Amino acid sequence: MTELLAMPEDWSRALAIVAHPDDMEYGAAAAVAHWTGGGREVAYLMVSRGEAGIDTMSPEECAPVRDAEQRASAAVVGVSSVEFLDHKDGVIESGVALRRDLAAAIRRHRPELVITLNRREAFVPGTWNSADHRAVGESVLDAANDAGNRWIFPELADEGLEPWGGVRWVALAASPEARHAVDVTDTFEAGVASLLEHRAYIAALTDEDPETYVRGFLTSFAAAAGERFGTTYATTFELVNF
Ligand SMILES: [Zn+2]
């Protein structure tokens, strides 16, 4: 028996909502490649453009670079719909304004599965997760409910966005509370290629050769997860049911 349960596969549309370009690529992209390869539709929604993510570039310079890198990165794993909400990178606030934007997006895309990033205090004990990841994760969970309730943001229906109560799960990638996993043995390389598309970001992050850095990082997590799931490589998720 493995420690991890298989992620549900009986769905056709997913929407990934994360704070920044690159958030999906630090592990979850290989699972996205698995799903799109199996004929499922996955769309990406970035809450910010990650414009505060490169120390050597001003936000004005950085935003279009990261936007382009995210689109290229998504294309590698079979995702063609990439949208940006333009909340301000680094100071994203959870709460009603963000929930309204996310509920609107969920109503437009009508996903059964919503994917986001770990919202807990840390990725591993003794570290601290970013304010943006915590804020977005919490608001995604709230918006999954809001999307189905006609009376929470009634103005959305006035704009033609009818309630969507079809979200069945929110899956949080890289959570220390993960109990579910996807076998990404066959799509691990697509995940590597997807993260490598964040060229400017990675160049500013490390002096290491980009491919050595990306492969090293992704291999360590995917192999550890695979060991727990009984596969060579795996991506883990904390799954919340709706
Ligand atoms: Zn991030």
Side-chain angles (χ1 to χ4, degrees):
M1 204 181 115
T2 70
E3 280 175 56
L4 297 165
L5 302 167
M7 274 286 286
E9 298 272 347
D10 55 330
W11 53 272
S12 58
R13 277 190 314 279
L15 175 63
I17 304 172
V18 290
H20 315 117
D22 80 53
D23 285 353
M24 285 300 290
E25 286 69 44
Y26 276 93
V32 170
H34 166 81
W35 288 322
T36 59
R40 294 182 185 78
E41 215 176 286
V42 182
Y44 282 4
L45 177 68
M46 310 290 141
V47 174
S48 81
R49 277 178 217 263
E51 69 274 12
I54 300 181
D55 187 54
T56 51
M57 271 185 175
S58 71
E60 296 70 31
E61 267 181 291
C62 190
V65 171
R66 302 215 68 197
D67 177 318
E69 289 187 344
Q70 183 60 58
R71 289 177 199 281
S73 174
V76 169
V77 292
V79 174
S80 55
S81 170
V82 181
E83 300 170 350
F84 296 86
L85 285 176
D86 279 325
H87 285 242
K88 200 165 179 236
D89 185 13
V91 289
I92 296 171
E93 290 182 285
S94 65
V96 173
L98 179 56
R99 280 167 52 196
R100 183 190 294 110
D101 286 350
L102 300 183
I106 291 169
R107 288 185 183 194
R108 268 190 292 112
H109 287 275
R110 303 169 81 83
E112 298 128 292
L113 172 66
V114 174
I115 302 159
T116 188
L117 189 62
N118 176 32
R119 64 168 187 93
R120 297 193 178 272
E121 288 188 350
F123 286 97
V124 291
T127 63
W128 191 245
N129 194 358
S130 90
D132 283 358
H133 298 161
R134 288 180 286 124
V136 169
E138 181 177 289
S139 291
V140 165
L141 288 160
D142 289 330
N145 268 332
D146 300 337
N149 186 316
R150 180 175 305 280
W151 308 116
I152 292 181
F153 298 117
E155 65 275 25
L156 296 181
D158 297 341
E159 293 163 21
L161 295 170
E162 285 298 315
W164 171 249
V167 175
R168 295 168 65 194
W169 315 274
V170 173
L172 300 104
S175 168
E177 302 293 323
R179 297 284 177 272
H180 286 75
V182 176
D183 178 1
V184 297
T185 306
D186 294 341
T187 54
F188 178 77
E189 286 303 321
V192 169
S194 186
L195 180 52
L196 268 172
E197 290 293 341
H198 291 279
R199 292 168 208 285
Y201 177 74
I202 291 167
L205 191 68
T206 174
D207 291 332
E208 235 183 304
D209 165 62
E211 187 165 345
T212 308
Y213 160 76
V214 162
R215 199 170 281 286
F217 184 94
L218 293 179
T219 301
S220 65
F221 286 94
E227 202 161 303
R228 295 172 62 202
F229 194 44
T231 56
T232 303
Y233 294 127
T235 299
T236 63
F237 293 94
E238 177 183 351
L239 193 66
V240 179
N241 293 283
F242 281 82

